[in-house]
Amino acid sequence: MLKIENLHARIAGTEILKGLSLEVNAGEVHALMGPNGAGKSTLGNVLSGRPGYEVTEGTVTFDGANLLGMEPEERAAAGMFLAFQYPVEIPGVNNTYFLRAALNAQRKARGEDELDSMQFLKLVRGKVKEMGMPAELLNRAVNEGFSGGEKKRNEVFQMALLQPRLAILDETDSGLDIDALKQVADGVNALRSPERAFLVITHYQRLLDYIVPDFVHVLDGGRIVESGEARLALELEAHGYAWVRDRTPAGAGA
Amino acid sequence: MNTAAVVPFVESMRSAAAALRLPGSGLAWLDATRREAMQAFVAHGLPATRNELWKYTTVRGLAQRQYAPRDDKAANRPVDEALFPPEAMDGPRAVFVNGVFRSDLSRLDRLPDGVGLQSLSSALDAEPEPLRFLLGAPKDAGDDGFTLLNRALWADGVVLRVAAGVHVRGPLHVVHVGVAADAATAWHLRSLIELGDDARLAIVEHHVGEAAAGHLANLVCNIKLHEQAHLDWVGIQRAGADATLLRCTDIQLHDDATLDFHALELGGKLARHEIRVDLAGARSRFESRGAFVLHQRQHADTELLVTHRGRDTFSHASWRGVADDRARGVVHGRILVLPGADGADGGFYNKNLLLSPSAEIDTRPALEIYADEVRANHGATVGQLDENVLFYLRSRGIPLEMARRILVRAFCAVTLERIEPPSLREHCLALLVEQLREAST
């Protein structure tokens, strides 16, 4: 589904990703871990098309298409979703309006019929119930006045509504207490399916107790330096990132 | 005088004064007033940018133009129904087409008791003397070239009076329509709105027009609110794309009177509105909220001049502007607190968005305070759409242009959310969205 080869990217002249390669197939959950500054969030931003990042080398394909040539909205319509590390507040833009505009724009781009307001309300109310979100969410402005935890839950709620094929979770666990963490994980686990893949970016192993990945990768210095199964996360937790660095001297990355 | 003689605009106005038979002609005091005002205009000329109130609005281009003195067919011209938004005009209305009052399009037969609404020309025909205070002054310290011209050449207008104690339900509409004529025409209208003690009224002023009608409308309006009177005033400006619209509204509030003003500025090639508010009475209040959305080479200028004269007076202004392409917006908010206006509370807040590197917005808040125990605040910003928010919307699949429209609509909508009734508010929001759609095509 997603194939990243030898990706180099920089922002404001500083190279952050230095030859990253990764392949994610449908149905898989990949966790991407690493110390601060390793390039985790940069990868999420480059994949979703955030302006300001410059790819200097390498390729990324999504279902065989050149992802890097697509606008952010085209990537979304193709089935990519980024759960933001810092979801933005949008005063004056009502959640229901926003979600319908997003869903219909994606459907239109895919050549599907747009939902009228009745069809959409039925769908969105069902999702609110299913995800255990407060019903008044729909009448509020997007993320306005939300706590950190509420914003992160709202990201997962949007994901449930938009039904992406590849979801990238950028440190969705940061700043969450244990209850909010479980709610977020429940939401993600409910969406796991053979057609859908996840790339879970996290600094801590904690989230992976609840979202158990198929693969764990360690990112350091802009490259993946170690890959393994879910157990790798536990070893990292026990030994710290320095342990990986010791095992893989500079220049010997994956 | 000799220098003024070479300005084509001034010449066309002089010949208009000679050619037109204006209302009230033959009344000695009015003839004299018109004559003196015309002389003052010729001597004064068009406002120059060295005039602080015209600093960012140049009329150099206008000076080279000539306008027909009237549209002879205005009384019979058909008006496209599409220019009239019926959902926004439920209730009595006075309609002017190319500056001419149209009784056939107006609806004044079902006015509530205690409300008098007629054209200025018929009011003058019926009884000139009560209008002498309004029309008899040849000039005023606050005059500029256009208000002088208006004194000289006004051909009609609206006289609206509400008797003391009368609370009018539902808004009255005053509609100014510009349609294509044989030649670009200039018209000058003078209006008076007066609310008696404890009277209540809502007015919606509409400016609409065909894109190709490159007229000049020069409108002066005096509003007088007596003790405890309350006026809700909504101005929806979507004049034709080639139109020049110059408005000066002078408002005086007596003790405990309230004016609540909403403005939506969308149309015209050059639109300027000077709003002078005199909070003369104790505890009088003026609240204003407004938004402009401009594109292409539109120019809109709002000059908001608030004078706190009475004790414990209150003013609040919250305006937002958006300029795209090569458009230019100007917002000037001046709060003047005179000696003796103790306890005054004034605020002017203006936020603006530039959507293009060639667009420009000039915002100038100014406070002048000569009284004690005064609260006065102002804040003005000019910025751009937040890239992070735009990216958030796009990452959810919303195309860039649509994301921009969503954010601009939200930015402006806060200034319209108190408009009543809700149907009128919805109408304003719909116009805003329509304007944004045009802007992005």
Side-chain angles (χ1 to χ4, degrees):
Chain A
M1 178 187 281
L2 178 72
K3 196 166 180 187
I4 306 170
E5 282 183 299
N6 189 34
L7 184 63
H8 292 252
R10 60 186 183 188
I11 182 164
T14 305
E15 189 168 52
I16 307 288
L17 298 182
K18 302 169 183 171
L20 186 148
S21 298
L22 177 66
E23 191 165 351
V24 177
N25 297 306
E28 295 174 353
V29 175
H30 291 246
L32 190 68
M33 304 184 68
N36 289 331
K40 303 191 297 293
S41 289
T42 295
L43 179 63
N45 287 330
V46 168
L47 292 178
S48 56
R50 184 187 280 271
Y53 291 86
E54 188 192 352
V55 172
T56 52
E57 207 181 327
T59 58
V60 182
T61 59
F62 187 53
D63 289 331
N66 172 20
L67 185 78
L68 300 174
M70 294 159 80
E71 296 293 337
E73 54 268 35
E74 293 172 329
R75 301 181 196 203
M80 178 172 286
F81 180 93
L82 173 69
F84 281 58
Q85 183 176 5
Y86 304 109
V88 299
E89 300 193 11
I90 316 180
V93 178
N94 168 284
N95 244 317
T96 305
Y97 176 83
F98 159 66
L99 292 169
R100 186 174 161 217
L103 184 63
N104 275 341
Q106 290 197 17
R107 293 179 68 101
K108 193 174 166 190
R110 291 193 293 257
E112 299 164 14
D113 285 340
E114 297 181 39
L115 300 186
D116 65 32
S117 49
M118 289 314 291
Q119 290 169 318
F120 178 75
L121 271 180
K122 199 175 161 198
L123 172 73
V124 76
R125 284 185 181 141
K127 284 287 174 209
V128 163
K129 214 166 175 185
E130 192 182 311
M131 303 287 293
M133 301 296 284
E136 88 257 12
L137 169 82
L138 295 174
N139 302 323
R140 291 172 62 178
V142 178
N143 287 325
E144 192 181 28
F146 284 24
S147 70
E150 284 172 329
K151 284 179 185 167
K152 297 297 179 73
R153 279 185 70 196
N154 198 26
E155 294 292 286
V156 178
F157 171 71
Q158 288 176 21
M159 182 167 75
L161 186 81
L162 297 171
Q163 299 272 314
R165 297 182 48 253
L166 172 67
I168 303 165
L169 279 65
D170 187 6
E171 306 216 10
T172 298
D173 52 333
S174 68
L176 294 190
D177 64 26
I178 192 71
D179 291 332
L181 187 72
K182 279 183 187 165
Q183 283 168 329
V184 163
D186 286 348
V188 172
N189 286 329
L191 287 168
R192 288 178 79 152
S193 84
E195 294 81 42
R196 189 169 289 133
F198 290 86
L199 184 59
V200 181
I201 297 171
T202 180
H203 187 78
Y204 300 104
Q205 180 271 338
R206 189 175 68 147
L207 178 67
L208 306 181
D209 286 342
Y210 302 97
I211 303 174
V212 180
D214 299 304
F215 303 95
V216 173
H217 310 278
V218 179
L219 188 62
D220 196 13
R223 275 182 302 208
I224 289 176
V225 293
E226 179 98 30
S227 293
E229 294 175 6
R231 207 165 356 126
L232 175 59
L234 294 171
E235 291 183 43
L236 282 170
E237 179 76 2
H239 304 294
Y241 288 114
W243 166 74
V244 180
R245 248 175 234 158
D246 293 343
R247 283 158 38 102
T248 51
Chain B
M1 289 272 196
N2 290 336
T3 52
V6 300
V7 178
F9 181 86
V10 175
E11 275 313 291
S12 76
M13 294 300 135
R14 275 168 76 142
S15 52
L20 290 170
R21 186 176 161 79
L22 292 163
S25 134
L27 286 169
W29 59 266
L30 187 53
D31 287 344
T33 299
R34 288 192 189 270
R35 205 167 41 240
E36 280 179 53
M38 194 67 205
Q39 283 166 359
F41 165 69
V42 171
H44 186 284
L46 290 168
T49 48
R50 64 176 178 271
N51 177 342
E52 192 60 20
L53 300 182
W54 288 84
K55 191 172 176 183
Y56 297 103
T57 296
T58 173
V59 290
R60 272 202 305 270
L62 217 53
Q64 298 309 314
R65 296 190 64 169
Q66 296 199 314
Y67 289 91
R70 59 173 289 142
D71 171 17
D72 289 324
K73 298 176 194 147
N76 302 305
R77 285 195 189 278
V79 175
D80 187 353
E81 296 250 322
L83 289 172
F84 278 80
E87 72 280 6
M89 290 189 193
D90 194 20
R93 67 189 185 207
V95 178
F96 290 80
V97 175
N98 289 354
V100 172
F101 177 68
R102 289 282 293 264
S103 54
D104 58 321
L105 299 174
S106 300
R107 210 163 48 194
L108 301 176
D109 49 335
R110 281 177 298 168
L111 288 174
D113 287 344
V115 178
L117 175 55
Q118 55 187 331
S119 68
L120 178 60
S121 54
S122 47
L124 193 72
D125 276 348
E127 220 182 344
E129 211 47 38
L131 291 163
R132 192 164 171 170
F133 82 95
L134 180 71
L135 306 172
K139 58 184 173 210
D140 176 272
D143 273 335
D144 59 34
F146 290 106
T147 54
L148 286 170
L149 207 46
N150 189 283
R151 288 179 193 280
L153 293 179
W154 66 264
D156 213 342
V158 168
V159 179
L160 169 56
R161 286 195 167 100
V162 182
V166 172
H167 292 196
V168 183
R169 284 167 172 268
L172 305 187
H173 299 270
V174 178
V175 188
H176 295 278
V177 186
V179 296
D182 304 337
T185 305
W187 61 82
H188 314 267
L189 299 179
R190 187 77 193 260
S191 295
L192 170 69
I193 297 167
E194 189 167 12
L195 270 61
D197 290 349
D198 187 39
R200 279 195 78 122
L201 179 70
I203 295 176
V204 187
E205 180 187 330
H206 305 258
H207 299 270
V208 297
E210 292 176 353
H215 305 307
L216 178 141
N218 178 21
L219 313 181
V220 174
C221 179
N222 287 73
I223 298 178
K224 213 170 196 151
L225 305 180
H226 290 275
E227 291 184 15
Q228 290 181 37
H230 185 128
L231 177 66
D232 286 306
W233 170 32
V234 178
I236 304 172
Q237 193 276 101
R238 45 194 191 104
D242 240 352
T244 301
L245 175 60
L246 304 164
R247 283 180 287 166
C248 179
T249 306
D250 205 304
I251 305 145
Q252 194 179 47
L253 294 92
H254 292 229
D255 288 358
D256 300 294
T258 300
L259 173 63
D260 206 331
F261 176 47
H262 283 92
L264 186 57
E265 294 280 335
L266 304 174
K269 187 176 181 188
L270 167 62
R272 182 180 182 277
H273 194 185
E274 183 169 318
I275 304 160
R276 309 174 186 163
V277 182
D278 182 6
L279 294 166
R283 296 169 305 280
S284 53
R285 295 173 65 87
F286 169 64
E287 286 196 48
S288 70
R289 290 176 178 78
F292 66 77
V293 179
L294 310 174
H295 53 97
Q296 293 169 4
R297 285 172 158 265
Q298 281 186 289
H299 182 115
D301 180 351
T302 297
E303 299 285 319
L304 194 58
L305 312 169
V306 181
T307 303
H308 289 258
R309 190 187 304 275
R311 290 182 74 99
D312 301 315
T313 44
F314 175 85
S315 72
H316 174 89
S318 178
W319 290 67
R320 294 199 166 187
V322 180
D324 200 353
D325 305 323
R326 308 191 64 175
R328 186 160 186 197
V330 182
V331 186
H332 178 198
R334 189 193 71 186
I335 298 173
L336 171 63
V337 182
L338 292 178
D342 298 350
D345 183 350
F348 172 79
Y349 306 93
N350 179 222
K351 285 190 180 181
N352 299 286
L353 276 182
L354 292 176
L355 300 183
S356 134
S358 308
E360 182 175 335
I361 294 177
D362 299 291
T363 172
R364 295 182 295 152
L367 299 176
E368 288 176 56
I369 298 169
Y370 305 101
D372 298 324
E373 291 171 59
V374 168
R375 278 175 40 148
N377 285 296
H378 63 76
T381 61
V382 180
Q384 284 152 21
L385 287 175
D386 186 329
E387 287 294 334
N388 289 321
V389 178
L390 270 179
F391 175 63
Y392 190 80
L393 292 171
R394 297 177 77 189
S395 79
R396 298 304 181 247
I398 296 174
L400 177 60
E401 280 308 318
M402 189 180 179
R404 282 160 54 115
R405 282 204 301 272
I406 288 173
L407 295 181
V408 172
R409 179 192 185 276
F411 177 78
C412 295
V414 292
T415 64
L416 307 174
E417 60 195 11
R418 295 189 187 198
I419 292 179
E420 294 289 346
S423 58
L424 183 63
R425 187 189 319 141
E426 289 305 318
H427 173 66
C428 289
L429 283 169
L431 292 177
L432 190 65
V433 170
E434 194 182 305
Q435 174 90 348
L436 296 170
R437 214 163 262 144
E438 277 172 25
S440 59
T441 51

